[in-house]
Amino acid sequence: INTMVSLSLMEYLLESGTYAPGMMLVDSPLSQLSESEYISEAETIKDSFIRYLLNNRDGQIILVEQKDKMPEFVKNSSWPDNATVRVIEFTKDKDHGRYGLLPDVND
């Protein structure tokens, strides 16, 4: 619910606000969703939410989520044709992906 309220506020500010930031950061909105046994594997709440963000965004949306919680089409990079998406994987490995949020900072 917090993510949907934030998304609505961002859209309202883009339409009517004087100082609209044009971006939104969402941290783990999918991790607390409980899936019903009656929802088919292909069309889950998570899939629908990500597809909605891809097809209805006006500003920049940064989504931070655990890789295993993401829908399969995100893991396989099979985006819709109109999607401009950049996936950044934090790996704590200097040779693969991105080590962490801040560049040149290691444990």
Side-chain angles (χ1 to χ4, degrees):
I1 279 194
N2 290 336
T3 302
M4 296 311 293
V5 170
S6 298
L7 186 61
S8 299
L9 181 60
M10 183 183 93
E11 290 175 2
Y12 173 78
L13 288 174
L14 286 170
E15 290 175 9
S16 311
T18 305
Y19 302 107
M23 66 163 292
M24 180 175 86
L25 175 69
V26 183
D27 186 12
S28 301
L30 308 176
S31 61
Q32 295 181 4
L33 290 176
S34 59
E35 298 288 343
S36 169
E37 63 188 61
Y38 302 108
I39 298 176
S40 71
E41 194 72 31
E43 192 61 37
T44 64
I45 295 171
K46 295 175 185 180
D47 287 352
S48 298
F49 177 69
I50 296 292
R51 289 183 194 282
Y52 175 81
L53 290 178
L54 289 172
N55 295 323
N56 297 300
R57 67 192 185 288
D58 291 322
Q60 179 182 15
I61 298 175
I62 300 170
L63 178 67
V64 179
E65 185 61 77
Q66 297 175 23
K67 189 174 183 179
D68 60 331
K69 304 269 185 193
M70 295 299 282
E72 284 301 317
F73 75 93
V74 174
K75 294 177 190 176
N76 299 330
S77 300
S78 56
W79 309 104
D81 292 337
N82 64 343
T84 305
V85 177
R86 183 171 175 205
V87 176
I88 300 172
E89 184 177 351
F90 295 97
T91 60
K92 285 198 134 184
D93 182 354
K94 295 178 187 176
D95 300 321
H96 172 70
R98 185 169 171 167
Y99 187 86
L101 181 64
L102 300 175
D104 301 325
V105 176
N106 303 333
D107 284 341

